[in-house]
């Protein structure tokens, strides 16, 4: 039934799109008017987009990769939107577009209906079109809670608190003795990361119930990303055809407002506090910066509305928690799968950190080359997102001889760049040593300013502003988990191995969440 309904919607939207193309053909820039769109595979009208929509739930990425092999590094596909989306797989083309011509491709396409609601009309750092609004929101984020790395020490107590929660939950789940109990690792990771990031966002240590409440609504949002794509087709119609799904969008938004607005209001009443309170409130949190932020004249010359504050808090948690949890789970899966990695990392930790020290701290990890190599290889081999958030050209332009219409979704493959055999030897293998001195990854610049070898945080003007903080937190928690626990394989898992199958949600997660034997280490 869903396919039949979608077929009707696609017929209508295809007709509307044809009329739109005819009406706008004369508006093309003279320099691109005669250029072809990127090549597209043959597709049967109506049926083709529906097949792609079905594939989006399972094997979309391999299908796109095969089309790149046939048609080249730039291609057009029509499946999740009535307008063809453009896909780029080449690191060289990506560098030309996002670094050498960063301004040109720095915008975002119009959001589909669910995300227009969830972002307050694209009033967030990641969704705002290129311009004054985006610059204002991003500047506030980088100079405020991120502080270009200068605020990292400020959040050290929060990380220690989250680490205590994580290690306590892992120990409890393992029975504290490691007596052969399989631990669902991701559950412990999610609670600890939500605790840490809600603290950084709202400036308050929430109790377990409060954290679980936020975790539940955010998890529902993460797991619904693909199903919401149906509203890319004629939202006026699909909102009625898929009424329950649309109500889910609105329900998620209401729950976010119900949870976040009281926390925002609490911080609003204490906006002038400049030192740590006795109740554990943070000196400065993200909400403090957005409450006091005023948009520039070009973006409205006003304070942010409550709805926009909720959207920005949602973005902060969405962008930070799920990506970190996903990356940590993949890295720890490799630690379990390859015991030699765990042994090498533990040796390095023991050389750097004295046995009587309570935990590995931020200063310690600066001296851990193998730890950094392990994290980088985790991000290369298992990037949390296999595509960057869709970019868009500010105005119609060209890219390698192809016409790129303004506002069209342009998608750059993170995974294909990280698996390029021209850069990486045996790219499918997990080899942290490749990032040590002498390896092909040594000295890799994650910003891609000179050359793109991998881009788990994006590149160019839209590069993730939390790059430094994310690396710090990944290194911090991986080092402490390995120091505190011995990680072993669960007997019987996939014939004695770890299932590395992938499943796309908001990030690309493990199809079978990691289960491991987690044994507390007994130190004299």
């Amino acid at each position: 039934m869903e396919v039949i309904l979608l077929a009707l919607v696609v017929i209508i939207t295809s007709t509307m799109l044809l009329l739109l193309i005819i009406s706008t053909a004369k508006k093309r820039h003279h320099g691109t008017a005669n250029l072809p769109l990127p090549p597209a595979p043959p597709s049967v009208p109506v049926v083709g987009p529906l097949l792609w929509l079905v594939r989006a739930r399972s094997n979309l990425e391999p299908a796109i990769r095969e089309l790149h092999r046939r048609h080249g590094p730039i291609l057009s596909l029509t499946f999740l939107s009535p307008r063809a989306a453009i896909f780029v797989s080449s690191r060289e083309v990506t560098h030309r577009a996002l670094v050498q011509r960063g301004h040109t491709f720095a915008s975002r396409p119009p959001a589909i209906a669910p995300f227009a609601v969830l972002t307050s009309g694209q009033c967030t750092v990641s969704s705002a079109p290129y311009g004054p609004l985006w610059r204002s929101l991003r500047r506030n984020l980088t100079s405020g809670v991120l502080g270009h790395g200068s605020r990292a020490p400020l959040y050290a107590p929060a990380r220690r608190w989250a680490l205590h929660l994580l290690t306590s939950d892992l120990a409890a789940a393992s029975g504290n003795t490691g007596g052969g109990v399989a631990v669902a690792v991701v559950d412990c990771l999610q609670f600890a990361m939500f605790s840490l990031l809600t603290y950084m966002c709202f400036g308050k240590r929430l109790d377990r119930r409060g954290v679980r409440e936020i975790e539940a609504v955010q998890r529902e949002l993460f797991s619904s990303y693909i199903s919401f794509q149906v509203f890319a087709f004629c939202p006026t119609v699909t909102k009625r055809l898929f009424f329950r799904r649309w109500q889910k969008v609105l329900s998620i938004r209401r729950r976010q407002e119900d949870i976040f607005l009281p926390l925002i209001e609490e911080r609003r009443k204490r906006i002038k506090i400049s030192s740590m309170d006795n109740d554990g409130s943070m000196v400065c949190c993200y909400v403090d910066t957005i409450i006091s932020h005023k948009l520039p004249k070009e973006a409205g010359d006003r304070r942010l509305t409550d709805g926009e504050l909720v959207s920005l808090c949602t973005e902060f948690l969405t962008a930070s928690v799920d990506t970190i949890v996903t990356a940590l789970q993949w890295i720890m899966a490799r630690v379990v799968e390859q015991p030699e990695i765990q042994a090498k990392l533990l040796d390095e930790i023991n050389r750097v950190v004295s046995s009587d020290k309570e935990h590995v701290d931020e200063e310690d990890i600066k001296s851990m080359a193998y730890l950094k190599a392990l994290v980088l290889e985790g991000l290369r081999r298992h990037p949390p997102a296999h595509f960057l958030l869709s970019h868009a050209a500010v105005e119609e332009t060209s890219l390698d001889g192809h016409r790129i219409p303004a506002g069209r979704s342009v998608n750059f493959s993170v995974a294909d760049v990280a698996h390029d055999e021209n850069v990486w030897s045996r790219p499918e293998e997990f080899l942290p040593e490749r990032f040590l001195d002498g390896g092909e990854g040594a000295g890799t610049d994650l910003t891609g300013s000179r050359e793109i070898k991998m881009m788990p945080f994006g590149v160019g003007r839209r590069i993730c502003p939390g790059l430094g903080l994310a690396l710090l937190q990944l290194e911090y928690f991986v080092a402490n988990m390995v120091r505190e626990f011995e990680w072993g394989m669960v007997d019987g898992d996939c014939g004695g191995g770890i299932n590395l199958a992938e499943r796309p949600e908001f990030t690309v997660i493990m199809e079978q969440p990691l289960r491991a034997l987690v044994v507390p280490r007994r130190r004299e």
Side-chain angles (χ1 to χ4, degrees), residues 255-284:
R255 287 167 60 197
Q256 288 174 339
E257 292 176 344
D258 290 343
I259 296 170
F260 294 163
L261 284 177
L263 295 171
I264 293 170
E265 183 59 30
E266 183 175 342
R267 287 303 291 192
R268 183 179 277 128
K269 293 177 180 178
R270 306 168 53 179
I271 195 68
K272 295 182 180 180
I273 294 179
S274 59
S275 61
M276 186 73 74
D277 285 347
N278 293 330
D279 65 356
S281 294
M282 184 173 284
V283 174
C284 179

Side-chain angles (χ1 to χ4, degrees), residues 451-468:
E451 175 190 19
I452 296 176
K453 291 186 174 182
M454 56 186 286
M455 52 177 189
F457 300 98
V459 293
R461 302 198 180 194
R462 288 280 186 168
I463 192 171
C464 174
L467 185 157

